[in-house]
Amino acid sequence: MKIVIVGAGEVGTHLSETLSIADHDVTVIERDDALANTLSETVDVRVVKGNGASAGTLLKAGANKCDFFLAMTSSDETNLVSASLAKALGATKTFARAHDATYRDNTLINHQRHFGIDHLVNPEALAAVELAKRIRNPGRVAVEDFGRGQIEVKSIEIQPGAKVCGTPLKDMRLPGNIRIGLIQRGDSNIVANANTTLSVGDQVTVFGHPDSLFETKALFDPSSKGSAKITVTILSGTEIAISLARLLSNPRFKIRIIEKDLKICHTLAERLPSVTMIHGDGTSLRVLEEEEVGHSDFFVACRKDDEDNIMTCLQAFKLGAKHTMLAINRADYIEILEKLNTNLGVELAVSPRVAATNEVLRYIGKKPFIELEDQVRQEVDNNFIIELDIAEKSAVVDKRIRDIKWPAECVIVGHEHNYMPKTPTGDDILQAGDSIIAIICKSRIKELLKLTK
């Protein structure tokens, strides 16, 4: 694949290294001489010095003929302009890193659609999804890279007395557009259809918004009726912390953010009215003791200083916090933290640049569809969870999902239209450019591709 990357910062450099090792033809645009020279000396990529928001520089780098164009500088504005120009020049797929939530807020205008960019990538938001997934339910496997955390998948065993037993799926009224995709019954894996019924002992794979999954749990397991509030203490009001707080906006979470800067405290108090803001230095043991951090169910360190995050997690763990997690900027620290998990108590360390790289790498492959999470694949055995786009001339365009003759052993569990992801209903109408997630038997994938292309 021919790939052009704008920006040789942490994210851009990590991407260029990873893609170069995978034998892709990589060109990096960087205007800073020092960064450009360092990258040229350490990574096997072509480096073009210049402004990534200049059409002339983009042509020089070959953006007009590239398969993937990745604008990954620290400037959102540069990324948006650069990716938009590259798309206009002929780049097949464009990605832009967008740090500021303003550019991901579709209330007034959809910036992604306005600039003609295929994918907006926010490393901090992706890292927050990883953290939220663990907090919501340590046993859950999230399809976090479809819908930016808006669609998750969970495996639930049907318990005695469950209301869903014996009722065909077509007659089941699950709130929140929950979709049942796969049923494991004994040694058999069944792709669900409208006439499928559930039995006690079945292991079902359900898809939906995280809050909806939590609220419907009692339908599958009558013993799980409600639970105590989960207390989450977050260190520092960074972009990761803000994204995490929004992902945990359900009333069952009691969230506190400890922030040293008083001005940031006031700003976040207005932006996040349901979050308790604490003004103080969260790296101080005295402050952690005064705020009774040891009573927290989860302590999450989100400062931009890795050492502060590590040391504060260690203190929180020693004070009694049940679970400690952190965001880390230096990805090479993660392996060390995993080895020292028992001593440090850090259950999860997430790196924004690794999260961004993984997001982009999903799309860079030779297959006409994207296989989601190897961990999910292992659970569904011979059935795949795949994401694919609806082509302009596809036979399914302008048709309701319920009216389409899908291949046998195939169920649609995710739908993204106009960059807005959700679990679909039978009345949803598919449009060219939409994305769908399907659980499908391996032998039926070709039929689905023929239908959607």
Side-chain angles (χ1 to χ4, degrees):
M1 294 286 184
K2 183 174 178 54
I3 301 166
V4 176
I5 301 172
V6 180
E10 286 189 356
V11 175
T13 297
H14 190 61
L15 272 168
S16 64
E17 290 174 345
T18 305
L19 294 170
S20 174
I21 291 172
D23 290 329
H24 292 290
D25 179 5
V26 181
T27 299
V28 179
I29 300 172
E30 175 55 56
R31 65 191 310 172
D32 183 278
D33 286 340
L35 288 175
N37 291 334
T38 299
L39 185 67
S40 182
E41 293 169 0
T42 56
V43 184
D44 184 21
V45 296
R46 176 185 172 221
V47 179
V48 174
K49 295 181 182 179
N51 181 0
S54 161
T57 303
L58 296 182
L59 287 172
K60 184 179 178 182
N64 55 317
K65 298 178 181 179
C66 71
D67 299 294
F68 293 91
F69 182 88
L70 317 174
M72 296 289 155
T73 76
S74 58
S75 167
D76 291 352
E77 292 75 14
T78 297
N79 294 337
L80 292 172
V81 172
S82 181
S84 184
L85 286 174
K87 191 69 175 180
L89 290 171
T92 305
K93 288 287 185 181
T94 57
F95 292 73
R97 177 184 178 183
H99 168 84
D100 194 326
T102 301
Y103 301 118
R104 291 175 285 113
D105 183 355
N106 300 327
T107 306
L108 297 176
I109 187 170
N110 188 310
H111 290 83
Q112 186 174 349
R113 184 168 52 193
H114 176 77
F115 286 100
I117 300 168
D118 293 299
H119 301 280
L120 289 183
V121 178
N122 184 329
E124 291 77 18
L126 291 170
V129 169
E130 289 285 339
L131 295 165
K133 175 181 67 175
R134 183 68 63 90
I135 293 171
R136 284 171 179 150
N137 187 334
R140 179 177 301 174
V141 178
V143 187
E144 67 277 6
D145 38 17
F146 181 88
R148 297 162 295 280
Q150 297 303 303
I151 299 176
E152 289 189 1
V153 53
K154 183 178 181 182
S155 181
I156 303 175
E157 183 175 343
I158 306 298
Q159 300 296 326
K163 296 180 180 179
V164 294
C165 289
T167 304
L169 296 189
K170 64 182 178 181
D171 298 327
M172 222 176 270
R173 295 292 179 261
L174 296 174
N177 292 338
I178 293 293
R179 298 300 303 272
I180 295 176
L182 190 75
I183 301 165
Q184 183 177 345
R185 184 171 293 161
D187 296 329
S188 302
N189 280 316
I190 305 165
V191 176
N193 60 52
N195 296 313
T196 302
T197 58
L198 302 178
S199 303
V200 173
D202 286 352
Q203 196 78 24
V204 298
T205 304
V206 291
F207 291 74
H209 189 278
D211 292 339
S212 297
L213 290 179
F214 179 82
E215 291 163 5
T216 57
K217 188 177 179 181
L219 294 176
F220 303 94
D221 182 3
S223 65
S224 61
K225 294 181 179 179
S227 59
K229 279 198 172 186
I230 299 171
T231 59
V232 182
T233 302
I234 304 173
L235 173 67
S236 193
T238 58
E239 182 67 27
I240 294 178
I242 295 169
S243 297
L244 179 58
R246 285 175 171 158
L247 288 168
L248 302 177
S249 59
N250 189 284
R252 75 179 188 273
F253 297 108
K254 181 181 179 181
I255 303 172
R256 305 184 301 166
I257 296 178
I258 303 175
E259 171 54 52
K260 187 176 181 179
D261 189 311
L262 183 59
K263 185 177 180 180
I264 293 177
C265 280
H266 288 309
T267 301
L268 294 187
E270 293 178 2
R271 293 174 63 182
L272 304 168
S274 62
V275 174
T276 301
M277 294 301 305
I278 300 170
H279 178 227
D281 183 358
T283 63
S284 164
L285 179 59
R286 179 183 59 80
V287 172
L288 296 179
E289 289 174 335
E290 288 178 354
E291 297 303 329
E292 299 183 334
V293 166
H295 293 164
S296 299
D297 293 299
F298 289 87
F299 179 84
V300 189
C302 294
R303 290 193 70 166
K304 295 181 179 180
D305 186 291
D306 291 342
E307 287 73 18
D308 280 351
N309 286 341
I310 294 170
M311 294 306 298
T312 310
C313 272
L314 179 57
Q315 290 179 326
F317 176 66
K318 295 296 183 183
L319 288 172
K322 294 179 183 177
H323 307 276
T324 60
M325 304 184 295
L326 57 83
I328 202 149
N329 296 295
R330 291 188 56 175
D332 49 345
Y333 278 3
I334 293 178
E335 185 177 348
I336 298 173
L337 288 171
E338 288 175 348
K339 290 180 179 179
L340 296 175
N341 175 280
T342 304
N343 295 325
L344 295 180
V346 177
E347 295 184 7
L348 178 66
V350 298
S351 164
R353 73 177 185 179
V354 171
T357 300
N358 291 340
E359 171 76 0
V360 172
L361 290 178
R362 283 201 315 109
Y363 295 89
I364 299 178
K366 296 180 180 179
K367 293 182 179 179
F369 58 86
I370 301 166
E371 278 178 48
L372 298 179
E373 296 289 351
D374 288 339
Q375 190 175 358
V376 177
R377 261 198 61 195
Q378 291 170 9
E379 289 190 8
V380 299
D381 194 26
N382 196 41
N383 300 286
F384 282 48
I385 302 178
I386 64 173
E387 178 186 341
L388 66 166
D389 296 332
I390 305 298
E392 188 173 348
K393 296 182 180 179
S394 167
V396 303
V397 170
D398 293 330
K399 291 185 178 180
R400 295 190 306 171
I401 288 178
R402 72 169 72 254
D403 296 332
I404 298 168
K405 189 175 181 181
W406 299 101
E409 299 180 274
C410 171
V411 59
I412 308 304
V413 294
H415 177 211
E416 182 171 300
H417 174 67
N418 281 341
Y419 311 106
M420 298 299 291
K422 67 171 186 174
T423 45
T425 68
D427 292 322
D428 285 347
I429 298 174
L430 298 181
Q431 301 291 337
D434 288 2
S435 295
I436 59 172
I437 284 182
I439 289 186
I440 186 167
C441 178
K442 183 179 180 180
S443 62
R444 302 286 185 176
I445 291 179
K446 287 185 179 178
E447 291 180 47
L448 180 61
L449 292 175
K450 185 177 180 181
L451 188 65
T452 57
K453 298 301 178 185

